[in-house]
Amino acid sequence: VVKERDRILNDLENVVGSENVSDDPVIRFAYRDFSSVWPKAVPDYVVRPGSVEEIQVIMRIANREKIPVIPFSAGVSIGGTIAKEGGILLDLRRMNRIIEINRESMYCIVEPGVTYGQLYAELDKKYGDVKLSIPDSSPMCSVLANHTQVGLGEVHSKFEDNPTGVLGIEVVLPTGEVVATGSAAWPGSKWNCRYVLGPDLTGIFLRSMGYFGVITKASIKLYPKPEVSQIYGVGYEDIKFAIKPVRELLQKEIADRIVVRNWGLNLLYKHATVEVPPEIGKGPLPEELLEKWKKETGSPEIQLHITLEGNKEVVDVKERLMKKVISKYNGNAQYLELSETVKRISLEASMGKPSADVVRSILGPRGGYDIAILYTWYDIWPELYNDCKEILRIHGYPPLLSAKTLQHGRASTFRFIFCHFDADNEEECRKIQKVKSELTKLAMEKYKVPSMGLPREVMQQCRNYELLKKIKTALDPNLIMHPSSPLGGE
Ligand SMILES: Cc1cc2nc3c(=O)[nH]c(=O)nc-3n(C[C@H](O)[C@H](O)[C@H](O)COP(=O)(O)OP(=O)(O)OC[C@H]3O[C@@H](n4cnc5c(N)ncnc54)[C@H](O)[C@@H]3O)c2cc1C
């Protein structure tokens, strides 16, 4: 076995150089997931390719040896890069070139290792008037991985998740061939159009979480920076009163962004740097305790954070229209005094400036973070919210809701956050996994609301599962990429 391992290591060294491949246990341990609730695992080899050609050869070696490959762009997704079956962890951070910033056609082309911090600095230096859609995540996360795989960025209320901002990609397929999609498929063309030549092949790779290939370049939309961005806080004691104003503000394109949070989010920020209340995770949380915590946060049950953008005149008009809508539906709405930090983070998000503050407060000193993400719509908010709160109460977790509105009021996410737990404590992680799966099960069975990151047995019930399996097998005949995924081997 040792000989076998040495032979593979040797082959990989011949591709990327000995300084860019390692099977040292200490190095491999550093690639273990440190925040999610999923069982921890380490890869057999860490490989750091520097070019598309090197990735092609690595994929051929992995196919020949039938060893798993896990692409890793920055590794700050929540459990996305766990090498559950060992194999090659493909760390793409050496490929960190900003290949093009096309100010006229409003897109940029980046490699996987380009971070939001890096691209923001470059855009700011060269063009002060354009921005990217940034997530509430770390400035060190990968622009390419976030936009192509998971991203929920600040343009969500208008355009949906960040993958809608991807215009074309270059991918190394699991078998080693290179393809490009959108207008980028035409040699020498600009990378400015997604829907050009035949079916939308870009879409197959978006949200595929590295199961279908290694994306080596992506063309990503830029947006104009607004001259003015103003955030308003509006509170309600019942989520049902928020539905109509939120929908109208979005459908009439008055609000540029609305995030819905509950009082629990304020609890989260409060406990970011201090001891987590000992009651959390220990069993049912009594109503009185939740009431006490809620009172301490000084927050109404629900807060809308509404951002208006434009130039001064436009924002003034939007503000008048927003106030009219809020008073039309009343619901005892109260305007809230938002903290300077919330105002600053919102302004920075409008300007495309990534901030470390959000991640710092969410992760806290113990580093554990995970979320149940439901893709929902507005009419069911009150019932769904109360049902989810009850599940969380029974298991001893406070409700930490952050709901992001999508595409002008057509949909929204409902995200229940788990944080400040010890991600190395297996028992605690198992408990949270159980609560997460109860939340998604309830949402899917009672409300028919789908969720992200489903296990294989649930994915199998989806009406596209067989097609996805066929596509997976066609692209990755030896099932080497993320073999433990719901589309991997049985
Ligand atoms: C506290 C916290 C808050 C967060 N908040 C947000 C938020 O508000 N919005 C949001 O969108 N995200 C958020 N995230 C998630 C995180 O920032 C994103 O998941 C991140 O953008 C993707 O992580 P990454 O860039 O490190 O990719 P990785 O972790 O490296 O990879 C993510 C997945 O994509 C696959 N992959 C990576 N690179 C490639 C590639 N080149 N080709 C093919 N597949 C690839 C991986 O195998 C993996 O499955 C948050 C994370 C944390 C820890």
Side-chain angles (χ1 to χ4, degrees):
V1 175
V2 172
K3 282 230 166 82
E4 185 75 359
R5 208 179 157 101
D6 284 350
R7 184 175 56 73
I8 295 172
L9 190 69
N10 205 27
D11 283 354
L12 293 169
E13 279 177 354
N14 286 339
V15 184
V16 292
S18 57
E19 67 282 19
N20 290 311
V21 56
S22 179
D23 69 345
D24 180 330
V26 176
I27 302 282
R28 293 189 290 124
F29 185 80
Y31 286 83
R32 181 174 167 273
D33 176 71
F34 284 92
S35 69
S36 82
V37 292
W38 303 112
K40 310 294 179 271
V42 291
D44 295 313
Y45 311 96
V46 172
V47 185
R48 291 166 33 93
S51 68
V52 171
E53 293 73 24
E54 288 179 6
I55 297 174
Q56 290 183 276
V57 185
I58 295 164
M59 299 313 278
R60 290 188 187 118
I61 294 173
N63 269 292
R64 187 191 73 209
E65 305 293 336
K66 311 259 188 312
I67 43 180
V69 177
I70 312 291
F72 173 111
S73 280
V76 294
S77 60
I78 302 143
T81 51
I82 301 175
K84 293 184 189 120
E85 295 183 28
I88 296 173
L89 195 302
L90 206 58
D91 179 346
L92 300 159
R93 282 180 291 186
R94 282 179 66 214
M95 296 173 68
N96 63 354
R97 287 179 305 153
I98 300 168
I99 292 176
E100 181 182 356
I101 298 177
N102 195 314
R103 170 65 190 80
E104 281 64 44
S105 298
M106 299 286 275
Y107 69 87
C108 60
I109 304 175
V110 290
E111 291 187 322
V114 173
T115 65
Y116 278 98
Q118 179 188 351
L119 188 51
Y120 174 78
E122 192 67 11
L123 286 171
D124 204 41
K125 194 166 73 188
K126 294 210 168 120
Y127 312 96
D129 60 346
V130 285
K131 65 169 183 179
L132 279 170
S133 169
I134 58 161
D136 285 349
S137 180
S138 157
M140 60 175 259
C141 85
S142 153
V143 175
L144 180 149
N146 182 271
H147 266 75
T148 62
Q149 302 309 324
V150 275
L152 187 56
E154 63 84 32
V155 297
H156 55 83
S157 294
K158 296 184 210 162
F159 305 117
E160 210 173 347
D161 295 351
N162 273 346
T164 54
V166 179
L167 296 167
I169 52 175
E170 175 193 80
V171 198
V172 178
L173 298 178
T175 41
E177 299 100 310
V178 183
V179 296
T181 67
S183 55
W186 191 249
S189 174
K190 271 185 195 274
W191 290 37
N192 62 338
C193 283
R194 174 151 166 201
Y195 306 101
V196 207
L197 306 160
D200 174 29
L201 290 176
T202 312
I204 293 177
F205 297 93
L206 300 181
R207 284 267 161 95
S208 67
M209 301 307 284
Y211 304 170
F212 290 168
V214 183
I215 303 174
T216 44
K217 292 181 191 73
S219 170
I220 288 169
K221 283 183 195 170
L222 299 173
Y223 302 93
K225 272 187 192 170
E227 282 174 31
V228 175
S229 167
Q230 193 76 37
I231 184 169
Y232 303 80
V234 179
Y236 294 95
E237 269 315 325
D238 193 319
I239 196 167
K240 71 178 180 214
F241 297 123
I243 297 173
K244 285 187 177 160
V246 166
R247 213 160 23 197
E248 184 163 337
L249 289 169
L250 293 170
Q251 288 178 357
K252 293 198 169 155
E253 301 187 16
I254 297 168
D256 293 276
R257 181 161 66 253
I258 303 183
V259 179
V260 183
R261 292 171 162 177
N262 75 341
W263 64 270
L265 255 280
N266 287 15
L267 182 76
L268 184 160
Y269 293 124
K270 185 162 179 255
H271 289 290
T273 50
V274 293
E275 273 303 295
V276 179
E279 296 88 348
I280 291 183
K282 301 283 186 315
L285 289 173
E287 201 55 47
E288 312 81 71
L289 186 61
L290 288 169
E291 276 305 316
K292 178 174 157 277
W293 284 344
K294 183 180 163 205
K295 222 184 214 147
E296 281 169 14
T297 67
S299 168
E301 181 74 24
I302 293 294
Q303 301 190 359
L304 307 184
H305 289 187
I306 305 171
T307 304
L308 309 181
E309 294 175 348
N311 60 27
K312 172 87 177 67
E313 291 90 321
V314 169
V315 171
D316 284 348
V317 172
K318 285 182 176 177
E319 185 187 86
R320 274 203 305 282
L321 295 172
M322 176 194 77
K323 288 187 170 163
K324 253 191 190 167
V325 173
I326 301 289
S327 58
K328 179 165 130 190
Y329 293 110
N330 192 0
N332 290 326
Q334 31 171 320
Y335 285 93
L336 308 169
E337 188 51 52
L338 296 176
S339 73
E340 286 310 312
T341 314
V342 169
K343 286 187 199 160
R344 178 175 52 75
I345 291 175
S346 163
L347 178 67
E348 287 177 351
S350 281
M351 301 301 162
K353 183 175 180 186
S355 160
D357 290 358
V358 183
V359 172
R360 197 177 308 123
S361 62
I362 296 176
L363 291 180
R366 299 199 296 168
Y369 179 73
D370 219 309
I371 5 176
I373 307 184
L374 313 174
Y375 279 80
T376 175
W377 58 93
Y378 297 82
D379 303 323
I380 58 171
W381 272 8
E383 252 193 286
L384 179 64
Y385 179 54
N386 286 330
D387 280 352
C388 291
K389 269 195 343 188
E390 185 53 12
I391 290 179
L392 290 160
R393 189 193 69 77
I394 289 169
H395 290 284
Y397 292 91
L400 308 179
L401 172 76
S402 169
K404 293 201 171 172
T405 54
L406 301 174
Q407 7 155 356
H408 293 298
R410 291 185 180 84
S412 87
T413 59
F414 238 46
R415 305 190 304 169
F416 285 98
I417 296 172
F418 299 87
C419 56
H420 298 202
F421 58 88
D422 177 356
D424 271 327
N425 180 331
E426 282 179 31
E427 195 195 327
E428 198 168 353
C429 287
R430 264 198 303 275
K431 262 197 241 169
I432 297 174
Q433 276 173 41
K434 184 166 181 303
V435 188
K436 272 184 61 173
S437 69
E438 272 188 40
L439 291 172
T440 47
K441 192 165 181 288
L442 165 99
M444 294 183 79
E445 288 179 359
K446 181 166 172 192
Y447 297 96
K448 310 299 172 202
V449 161
S451 164
M452 255 180 101
L454 299 173
R456 185 192 303 266
E457 59 282 8
V458 183
M459 277 291 285
Q460 278 168 340
Q461 294 170 35
C462 292
R463 296 199 293 169
N464 58 8
Y465 183 74
E466 287 309 317
L467 177 60
L468 286 173
K469 282 285 288 184
K470 280 184 196 160
I471 295 171
K472 168 76 176 166
T473 316
L475 294 175
D476 183 8
N478 291 315
L479 304 180
I480 56 168
M481 300 204 65
H482 278 280
S484 308
S485 78
L487 300 179
E490 294 304 328

